[in-house]
Amino acid sequence: MIIVQGYYPLKGEIEIQGSKNAALPMMAAALLHKGTTVLDHVPMIQDVFCMMGILESLGCVLCLKDHRLTVDASEVSSMQIPRDRGRAMRSSIVVLGALLGRRGEGEAYYPGGCSIGSRPIDLHLAAFQRMGVEIREENDMIRAEAGTLKGADITLSYPSVGATENVILAAVKAEGRTVLKGAAREPEIDALCGMLKAMGAKIRGVGSDCLVIDGVEELRDASYQVPGDRIVTGTYLFAVMAAGGEAVLKKGSPESLGCVLDTMRAMGANVRVEGDTVSIAMTGRPKAVSITTSPHPGFPTDLQSVAMAVMAVGEGQGYLKETVFEGRFATAKQLHKMGAEIIIEGSEARVTGKGFLKGARVRACDLRSGAALAVAGLRAEGDTMITDCCHIFRGYEDICGDLRNLGGRIRRES
Ligand code: UD1
């Protein structure tokens, strides 16, 4: 359980952890190379430990020390993503693309992860089929097999992050050229491409929605740095907006938060970016705004719950429209327990700012909802007790320590 004691303004400086959503596909990418890959600034979070377990079960030898992860994938002895770990984490599905790239075959289970929507993988599977992969589904298991994995022209009907990563991983060592149109443009995909290029992959169009990948036969040893987690940065900036105060966040990839920082400014925060450092100062209550989530460079769905919490303690009536994951309004029910005024109608939420909330016992429904409740607790009278916080530790290395270093009264109790 996490306990937050509200009403203390924040002040301080912290360094942001490495990005979960970048680290996970980068770890899968290490499978493509019959040798050693080193990743630095790897976050010590549950999803990373789960991905390590998957890679080990496939035959890789791993070492994680001081945020440096070494993956020796000289021997890959299994092509089956284990059921328990695969279902524990949505990102396990990108291991399938890497297995196809490495061995031309792979087996996976329908992935799990946060319960924020139905989260199908039809786009991933259709793209693999375009590359000559035969897919067979048995209950919740997927068998993917290709005689030779062939480059193909693929157009995604929606810029799915995971499907884009899977196509990249499968295409890097496929025969011939893959042209991927309608690709997702999230910064984590740029990081994955940057790492693969350092390993010798031929990828053009990075940062755009059209990637051209020419298959290569071999990759080489490389080391690469995981970028700072822009969602964690956004969470802590919103935390300062809820609690009031000021903070300096280092290494948090603020350059990839453009639209979020603009929203924060519209809500009354004074935000400044200098290199990879972002600073924020907030006096008064956050002003209401309208936010619509959308794929990058739009407002990220991963920060929607946290923005909702901040609006709930702000002033005026604001609107949130969720266009990416249908289940992402579950946070509202928990915030209601804290006295928030939020009305949900379909994919829209109307939030009336109340200035402050009341501490209550609430449940983290998913990773980002848990972080949102911690942020709400900073502006609540009395104690907020967050249960099921295992979800939070899937993505935040030390949310209590970070917020405490900024002056927050927040602790973990077993
Ligand atoms: C990734 C991120 C997650 C983020 C999301 C959107 C990781 C580990 N997770 O998730 O934090 O919230 O991007 O930015 O990087 N869809 C389909 N069919 C598919 C694939 C997706 O219909 O085959 C739909 C999903 O149900 C969802 C939307 O597309 O409605 C976006 O999903 P996607 O971009 O694939 O998200 P993830 O890769 O799962």
Side-chain angles (χ1 to χ4, degrees):
M1 182 190 294
I2 287 178
I3 301 175
V4 191
Q5 228 183 321
Y7 265 92
Y8 293 92
L10 301 184
K11 188 177 171 70
E13 181 177 309
I14 54 169
E15 208 169 285
I16 300 295
Q17 68 180 65
S19 159
K20 166 178 95 69
N21 289 355
L24 296 173
M26 289 164 100
M27 290 169 71
L31 266 179
L32 290 170
H33 171 49
K34 281 186 194 158
T36 303
T37 310
V38 178
L39 290 174
D40 280 308
H41 202 216
V42 172
M44 308 284 275
I45 52 174
Q46 286 307 321
D47 275 12
V48 161
F49 303 146
C50 181
M51 183 62 94
M52 287 175 71
I54 291 175
L55 296 182
E56 273 167 351
S57 74
L58 298 175
C60 301
V61 179
L62 284 87
C63 173
L64 176 60
K65 202 174 168 207
D66 296 335
H67 297 91
R68 166 172 284 198
L69 177 68
T70 306
V71 183
D72 179 351
S74 305
E75 304 287 338
V76 170
S77 49
S78 164
M79 40 120 193
Q80 188 179 77
I81 301 165
R83 186 192 175 105
D84 52 344
R85 292 206 164 94
R87 291 194 57 80
M89 180 177 70
R90 168 85 183 167
S91 301
S92 63
I93 196 63
V94 297
V95 177
L96 190 56
L99 278 174
L100 283 167
R102 173 73 183 248
R103 297 183 41 144
E105 58 179 334
E107 287 180 8
Y109 288 87
Y110 268 95
C114 280
S115 53
I116 55 175
S118 61
R119 308 190 85 169
I121 52 167
D122 52 319
L123 300 174
H124 304 235
L125 301 184
F128 288 152
Q129 282 169 327
R130 297 272 308 161
M131 300 178 79
V133 178
E134 193 187 316
I135 305 281
R136 277 181 294 140
E137 295 180 52
E138 287 165 22
N139 300 318
D140 58 348
M141 187 209 265
I142 304 154
R143 284 180 207 277
E145 204 171 337
T148 309
L149 202 60
K150 292 200 168 69
D153 284 355
I154 298 167
T155 301
L156 294 179
S157 54
Y158 182 89
S160 155
V161 174
T164 300
E165 291 164 347
N166 247 334
V167 171
I168 295 168
L169 291 166
V172 158
K173 291 176 81 181
E175 193 180 277
R177 173 171 290 183
T178 298
V179 179
L180 176 62
K181 292 185 184 147
R185 289 186 287 155
E186 267 64 6
E188 293 76 22
I189 289 168
D190 300 359
L192 173 65
C193 291
M195 169 194 176
L196 286 166
K197 285 170 81 167
M199 293 164 76
K202 292 192 176 155
I203 309 175
R204 286 184 289 128
V206 176
S208 78
D209 64 353
C210 179
L211 297 171
V212 180
I213 304 162
D214 286 306
V216 296
E217 279 187 14
E218 294 297 331
L219 296 173
R220 56 173 177 261
D221 289 1
S223 53
Y224 206 77
Q225 171 117 355
V226 176
D229 196 312
R230 65 189 169 107
I231 303 300
V232 173
T233 305
T235 304
Y236 295 162
L237 291 173
F238 274 130
V240 174
M241 292 181 65
E246 55 191 67
V248 177
L249 309 181
K250 295 188 157 174
K251 294 192 182 172
S253 303
E255 71 288 350
S256 54
L257 276 172
C259 147
V260 175
L261 302 186
D262 290 344
T263 303
M264 290 171 171
R265 289 183 184 112
M267 293 173 88
N270 185 356
V271 184
R272 273 192 309 128
V273 176
E274 275 180 66
D276 67 354
T277 297
V278 55
S279 52
I280 185 165
M282 183 77 194
T283 46
R285 286 163 62 184
K287 294 188 188 67
V289 287
S290 288
I291 296 174
T292 301
T293 63
S294 61
H296 195 76
F299 192 96
T301 175
D302 285 346
L303 284 172
Q304 180 261 105
S305 300
V306 186
M308 178 185 273
V310 175
M311 278 199 205
V313 299
E315 61 182 359
Q317 200 166 76
Y319 295 87
L320 286 160
K321 187 172 167 67
E322 174 59 59
T323 73
V324 183
F325 287 115
E326 67 274 16
R328 271 247 156 110
F329 281 150
T331 318
K333 202 170 160 190
Q334 303 303 315
L335 289 171
H336 285 156
K337 295 182 192 169
M338 301 175 72
E341 206 178 311
I342 303 167
I343 295 169
I344 308 286
E345 273 173 19
S347 62
E348 291 186 21
R350 193 170 78 224
V351 188
T352 306
K354 301 202 51 174
F356 62 91
L357 298 174
K358 289 200 177 72
R361 192 182 173 92
V362 288
R363 189 173 72 83
C365 313
D366 62 70
L367 164 58
R368 307 301 171 189
S369 117
L373 295 172
V375 167
L378 293 170
R379 189 72 188 187
E381 268 178 353
D383 287 358
T384 299
M385 286 154 286
I386 307 168
T387 63
D388 287 14
C389 37
C390 52
H391 291 296
I392 303 177
F393 305 125
R394 286 190 38 224
Y396 293 81
E397 199 172 279
D398 187 9
I399 194 169
C400 296
D402 286 342
L403 289 174
R404 260 201 318 272
N405 284 336
L406 292 176
R409 307 272 172 114
I410 172 169
R411 64 184 194 279
R412 187 177 171 184
E413 270 184 16
S414 50

